[in-house]
Coordinates of all heavy atoms in Angstrom, one line a residue:
N580 N 135.5 86.6 84.6 CA 134.1 86.6 84.6 C 133.5 85.7 85.7 O 134.3 84.9 86.3 CB 133.5 86.2 83.2 CG 133.9 84.8 82.8 OD1 133.8 83.8 83.6 ND2 134.4 84.6 81.6
C587 N 136.8 78.3 89.6 CA 138.2 78.4 90.2 C 138.4 77.5 91.4 O 137.6 77.4 92.3 CB 138.5 79.8 90.5 SG 140.0 80.1 91.4
C589 N 141.4 77.7 93.2 CA 142.4 78.2 94.0 C 142.2 78.2 95.5 O 143.1 77.8 96.3 CB 142.7 79.7 93.6 SG 143.4 79.9 92.0
I593 N 145.7 73.3 98.7 CA 146.4 73.1 100.0 C 147.4 74.3 100.2 O 147.7 74.7 101.3 CB 147.1 71.8 100.1 CG1 147.6 71.5 101.5 CG2 148.3 71.7 99.1 CD1 148.0 70.1 101.8
S594 N 147.9 74.9 99.1 CA 148.8 76.0 99.3 C 148.1 77.3 99.8 O 148.7 78.2 100.3 CB 149.5 76.3 97.9 OG 150.4 75.3 97.6
Y595 N 146.8 77.3 99.5 CA 146.0 78.5 100.0 C 145.4 78.1 101.4 O 144.4 77.5 101.5 CB 144.8 78.8 99.0 CG 144.2 80.1 99.2 CD1 145.0 81.3 98.8 CD2 143.0 80.3 99.7 CE1 144.4 82.5 99.0 CE2 142.4 81.6 99.9 CZ 143.2 82.7 99.5 OH 142.6 83.9 99.7
A604 N 138.9 86.7 103.1 CA 137.4 86.6 102.8 C 136.7 87.9 102.7 O 136.0 88.1 101.7 CB 136.8 85.7 103.8
P605 N 136.9 88.9 103.6 CA 136.1 90.1 103.5 C 136.5 90.9 102.2 O 135.6 91.4 101.5 CB 136.6 90.9 104.7 CG 137.0 89.9 105.7 CD 137.6 88.8 104.9
N607 N 137.8 89.7 99.4 CA 137.3 88.9 98.2 C 135.8 89.2 98.0 O 135.4 89.4 96.9 CB 137.6 87.4 98.3 CG 139.0 87.1 97.9 OD1 139.8 87.9 97.4 ND2 139.4 85.8 98.2
F608 N 135.1 89.2 99.1 CA 133.6 89.4 99.0 C 133.3 90.8 98.4 O 132.5 90.9 97.5 CB 132.9 89.2 100.3 CG 131.5 89.4 100.3 CD1 130.6 88.5 99.7 CD2 130.9 90.6 100.8 CE1 129.3 88.7 99.6 CE2 129.6 90.8 100.7 CZ 128.7 89.9 100.1
H620 N 143.9 93.3 91.7 CA 144.2 92.1 92.5 C 143.0 91.5 93.1 O 142.1 92.2 93.6 CB 145.2 92.4 93.6 CG 145.6 91.2 94.4 ND1 146.4 90.2 93.9 CD2 145.1 90.7 95.6 CE1 146.5 89.2 94.8 NE2 145.7 89.5 95.8
E622 N 142.2 87.9 95.4 CA 142.9 86.8 96.0 C 142.2 85.5 95.7 O 141.7 84.7 96.5 CB 143.0 87.0 97.5 CG 143.9 86.2 98.3 CD 145.4 86.4 97.9 OE1 145.8 87.5 97.4 OE2 146.2 85.5 98.1
F625 N 144.2 83.1 90.4 CA 145.6 83.7 90.2 C 146.0 83.6 88.7 O 146.9 84.5 88.3 CB 146.6 83.0 91.1 CG 146.2 83.1 92.6 CD1 145.8 82.0 93.3 CD2 146.1 84.3 93.2 CE1 145.4 82.1 94.6 CE2 145.7 84.5 94.5 CZ 145.4 83.3 95.2
K630 N 149.7 87.0 91.1 CA 150.3 86.4 92.3 C 149.5 86.7 93.6 O 149.0 87.8 93.8 CB 151.7 87.0 92.5 CG 152.4 86.5 93.7 CD 153.8 87.1 93.8 CE 154.5 86.7 95.0 NZ 155.8 87.2 95.1
S631 N 149.4 85.7 94.5 CA 148.7 85.8 95.7 C 149.6 86.8 96.6 O 150.8 86.8 96.6 CB 148.6 84.5 96.4 OG 148.2 84.6 97.8
Q638 N 152.9 74.1 98.5 CA 152.5 73.0 99.4 C 151.6 72.0 98.6 O 151.1 71.1 99.1 CB 151.7 73.5 100.6 CG 152.5 74.4 101.5 CD 151.8 74.9 102.7 OE1 150.7 74.4 103.0 NE2 152.3 75.9 103.3
L641 N 146.6 72.6 92.5 CA 145.4 72.1 91.8 C 145.2 72.6 90.4 O 144.2 72.3 89.7 CB 144.1 72.4 92.6 CG 144.0 71.8 94.0 CD1 142.7 72.3 94.7 CD2 144.0 70.3 93.9
S643 N 146.3 72.0 87.4 CA 146.0 71.1 86.3 C 144.7 70.3 86.5 O 144.3 69.6 85.6 CB 147.2 70.2 86.2 OG 147.4 69.4 87.3
I647 N 139.3 75.8 84.2 CA 139.9 77.0 83.6 C 141.2 76.6 82.9 O 141.5 77.1 81.8 CB 140.1 78.1 84.6 CG1 138.7 78.5 85.2 CG2 140.8 79.3 84.0 CD1 138.7 79.3 86.4
Y651 N 141.5 77.4 78.9 CA 142.4 78.4 78.3 C 143.8 77.9 77.9 O 144.7 78.6 77.7 CB 142.6 79.6 79.4 CG 141.3 80.3 79.5 CD1 140.3 80.0 80.4 CD2 141.0 81.4 78.6 CE1 139.1 80.7 80.5 CE2 139.8 82.1 78.7 CZ 138.9 81.7 79.7 OH 137.7 82.4 79.8
L653 N 146.2 76.4 79.6 CA 147.3 76.8 80.4 C 148.2 75.6 80.5 O 147.8 74.5 80.3 CB 146.8 77.2 81.8 CG 145.8 78.4 81.8 CD1 145.3 78.6 83.2 CD2 146.4 79.6 81.2
Y658 N 150.4 79.4 89.7 CA 150.1 80.8 89.2 C 150.0 81.7 90.4 O 150.2 82.9 90.3 CB 148.8 80.8 88.4 CG 149.0 80.2 87.1 CD1 148.7 78.8 86.9 CD2 149.3 80.9 86.0 CE1 148.9 78.2 85.6 CE2 149.4 80.4 84.7 CZ 149.2 79.0 84.6 OH 149.4 78.4 83.3
K661 N 153.6 83.6 91.1 CA 154.3 84.4 90.0 C 153.4 85.6 89.6 O 152.2 85.5 89.4 CB 154.6 83.5 88.8 CG 155.6 82.5 89.1 CD 157.0 83.1 89.4 CE 158.0 82.0 89.7 NZ 159.3 82.5 89.9
T662 N 154.1 86.7 89.3 CA 153.4 87.9 88.9 C 153.3 88.0 87.4 O 154.1 87.5 86.7 CB 154.2 89.1 89.5 OG1 154.3 89.0 90.9 CG2 153.5 90.4 89.1
G664 N 151.2 86.7 85.2 CA 151.0 85.5 84.4 C 152.1 84.6 84.1 O 152.0 83.6 83.5

Side-chain angles (χ1 to χ4, degrees):
N580 61 49
C587 174
C589 290
I593 192 167
S594 291
Y595 199 71
N607 277 352
F608 179 75
H620 180 75
E622 197 65 24
F625 302 114
K630 180 180 176 177
S631 171
Q638 296 182 18
L641 294 178
S643 63
I647 297 165
Y651 291 92
L653 302 176
Y658 289 87
K661 294 291 178 178
T662 303

